Amino acid sequence: MLLWTRVGQYKSMRSLVFCYAPQDSELVHEIGRFLDVNLALNCCYDEGVVQTPAEFLDVVGRALSAELAVVLLSPEPVPQPWRRGAWEPVLLEQPRELGNLLVFALVRECQFPALLRREPFCDFTGDRISGLRSLKRLIFRHTAPGDDLVDLPAIGLRGGEAVEELRSALADLPGTRSGVSRDAALAFAHASARDFEGAFWIDCARRTSCGILAEMASRLGLRLSGSFEQNRNALRKFCTERRCLFVLEHADGEQADAVAPGGLASVLITARGPIPDPMALTDVVSLFARWASDEKRCLRALGDAYYHLENTTSWQTLQRLGSAVLSLLKNQDRLAEANEVLELLLAGARAQNDDDALHRLNWDRSWILGHWGELYVSTTMILHAPGDSMQLGLFDAQS
């Protein structure tokens, strides 16, 4: 199985070994259930049972053969006295040499070296849910890229009770919530970003479901060149083992249902509010004319570009803007969106009876559908490949 470690990179699914006394069996399984709904881990309970304090260090040492180990500190399993010459090589030096994560979880009051609090440490003796969240964050910090995959607008206020309710519903386990105010959604996303491997705010204004899905995949570093259905299946597969948060702003219920990835992902849909006016047509055309030098800004303005492509009455403007948008989408391997733009251009070409444009556009569309394994039957016969065709580069979604 695969685990997401960095954008575009994958690693074998990690194993986690719990080291604990038999008296803590019920608690360790509760911890395991919490981690199981939040992380793609293979939790091992039998290999790390500590029957007597004399075997504590040996058990922990064997557990470090796994990539992750959690040691539950309580009176029964820990050695007394602690001899630094014995515990320091196992508990401090060995994890650093191996590059593995060793977390110390205080579950019942007991004596242990104060130095262990400087290592990955969480406390379960107070609020249980705080301990669980702390442990999950420690594992995320070790296994995921962290702030590299947090993409949220700036925050203006903190959320209070609404944030804690959303944390219980969306951060402690995968879930979906809709109709949340923008301020509450933003406060929650900032407060809980470390509870996810990635947290992303998606502005869905004037975007199709296809475009929203493509934006979600892009934020994850995925380049998906399939159809909408193919891309949706790929994103769902990706999220079966990735704990992500997507906040969808200005999305309607039908769109949210269409793009929801399921798996370990949580989705928050903000309450519908006023949508800002689109950028002026002249500004959009000017921006996309230089897309190659300003890709990021153009990608953020795709919603405005789609709006003008659907509403402009000038065939010349439609061709100019559409060609630029197609070039950008081609460069991003976003063929499903490119196909939508081609549909708009084809409709314009038919209205203008522009046979040359129809030939070029149908040729491009045939390449896309052929890439998806679909047969394209055009209403306009393609007699030959036009010399100035806007052919779209193809990208293998399986590679």
Side-chain angles (χ1 to χ4, degrees):
M1 303 180 79
L2 298 176
L3 178 68
W4 174 41
T5 57
R6 225 170 256 285
V7 177
Q9 299 180 11
Y10 303 88
K11 194 169 183 177
S12 298
M13 185 175 181
R14 288 177 167 85
S15 59
L16 182 151
V17 175
F18 290 103
C19 301
Y20 62 99
Q23 293 88 338
D24 297 315
S25 177
E26 182 177 346
L27 173 58
V28 81
H29 281 83
E30 178 185 341
I31 295 172
R33 287 190 295 272
F34 180 84
L35 296 180
D36 187 55
V37 298
N38 282 282
L39 292 151
L41 293 173
N42 180 21
C43 294
C44 305
Y45 301 94
D46 299 331
E47 300 176 12
V49 179
V50 182
Q51 300 292 347
T52 66
E55 64 181 27
F56 176 80
L57 293 177
D58 288 337
V59 171
V60 175
R62 291 195 300 271
L64 289 172
S65 62
E67 293 181 81
L68 309 170
V70 177
V71 177
L72 275 64
L73 300 175
S74 61
E76 291 80 11
V78 300
Q80 294 296 338
W82 289 79
R83 294 185 173 86
R84 185 162 184 168
W87 63 260
E88 187 170 17
V90 177
L91 303 184
L92 301 186
E93 297 174 7
Q94 190 172 340
R96 292 168 185 164
E97 292 173 0
L98 296 173
N100 294 345
L101 176 66
L102 178 61
V103 179
F104 300 97
L106 179 62
V107 297
R108 286 182 286 135
E109 294 295 345
C110 62
Q111 292 185 348
F112 59 91
L115 280 176
L116 298 186
R117 289 187 177 271
R118 301 181 185 178
E119 302 301 308
F121 187 94
C122 51
D123 193 338
F124 283 80
T125 59
D127 181 13
R128 182 72 57 82
I129 190 62
S130 295
L132 292 169
R133 290 169 176 170
S134 177
L135 176 57
K136 182 179 71 169
R137 288 181 171 187
L138 287 170
I139 295 174
F140 277 156
R141 191 181 305 166
H142 180 77
T143 61
D147 291 342
D148 291 343
L149 286 176
V150 174
D151 188 2
L152 303 170
I155 188 172
L157 53 82
R158 303 294 168 181
E161 292 182 3
V163 168
E164 184 56 32
E165 180 182 352
L166 290 171
R167 289 185 74 179
S168 298
L170 300 176
D172 293 340
L173 73 167
T176 301
R177 284 291 183 274
S178 61
V180 178
S181 73
R182 188 182 194 277
D183 287 342
L186 192 55
F188 160 71
H190 277 276
S192 304
R194 290 190 299 151
D195 292 312
F196 298 92
E197 294 175 82
F200 311 98
W201 190 283
I202 311 292
D203 186 354
C204 306
R206 290 178 284 273
R207 301 304 306 274
T208 65
S209 296
C210 183
I212 296 169
L213 185 75
E215 188 62 29
M216 293 166 68
S218 178
R219 299 291 182 90
L220 292 168
L222 300 174
R223 295 176 75 93
L224 302 180
S225 64
S227 65
F228 175 78
E229 288 297 331
Q230 291 168 343
N231 291 346
R232 180 166 62 176
N233 290 337
L235 182 62
R236 286 176 175 175
K237 182 178 180 180
F238 187 88
C239 288
T240 57
E241 295 180 350
R242 284 83 179 183
R243 189 74 173 99
C244 302
L245 170 68
F246 297 101
V247 182
L248 306 182
E249 184 181 19
H250 301 129
D252 60 39
E254 185 176 342
Q255 288 177 321
D257 290 341
V259 302
L264 296 182
S266 287
V267 177
L268 193 161
I269 303 103
T270 65
R272 295 300 297 272
I275 297 177
D277 292 335
M279 190 186 308
L281 174 59
T282 55
D283 294 335
V284 171
V285 172
S286 176
L287 171 62
F288 277 84
R290 59 180 189 276
W291 69 265
S293 61
D294 206 350
E295 277 194 28
K296 289 185 177 180
R297 189 178 172 203
C298 287
L299 289 171
R300 290 195 300 269
L302 276 173
D304 293 342
Y306 272 63
Y307 171 83
H308 290 299
L309 287 173
E310 290 178 331
N311 291 282
T312 184
T313 58
S314 167
W315 173 227
Q316 182 179 4
T317 301
L318 179 62
Q319 289 185 94
R320 182 182 177 190
L321 178 58
S323 178
V325 173
L326 280 173
S327 296
L328 171 65
L329 296 173
K330 165 189 171 181
N331 193 60
Q332 295 289 317
D333 299 309
R334 290 162 70 155
L335 300 189
E337 290 173 280
N339 188 55
E340 289 187 329
V341 174
L342 283 170
E343 289 281 9
L344 295 173
L345 291 171
L346 281 165
R350 293 188 193 103
Q352 295 293 319
N353 294 316
D354 190 332
D355 290 339
D356 288 340
L358 283 171
H359 283 307
R360 290 195 301 271
L361 296 167
N362 278 315
W363 178 260
D364 285 337
R365 191 153 189 263
S366 70
W367 273 105
I368 293 178
L369 297 185
H371 177 62
W372 297 342
E374 300 178 18
L375 178 64
Y376 178 47
V377 179
S378 171
T379 56
T380 303
M381 184 179 295
I382 302 175
L383 300 177
H384 56 84
D388 57 347
S389 168
M390 299 181 289
Q391 296 181 35
L392 297 178
L394 303 182
F395 179 81
D396 184 2
Q398 303 302 317
S399 63

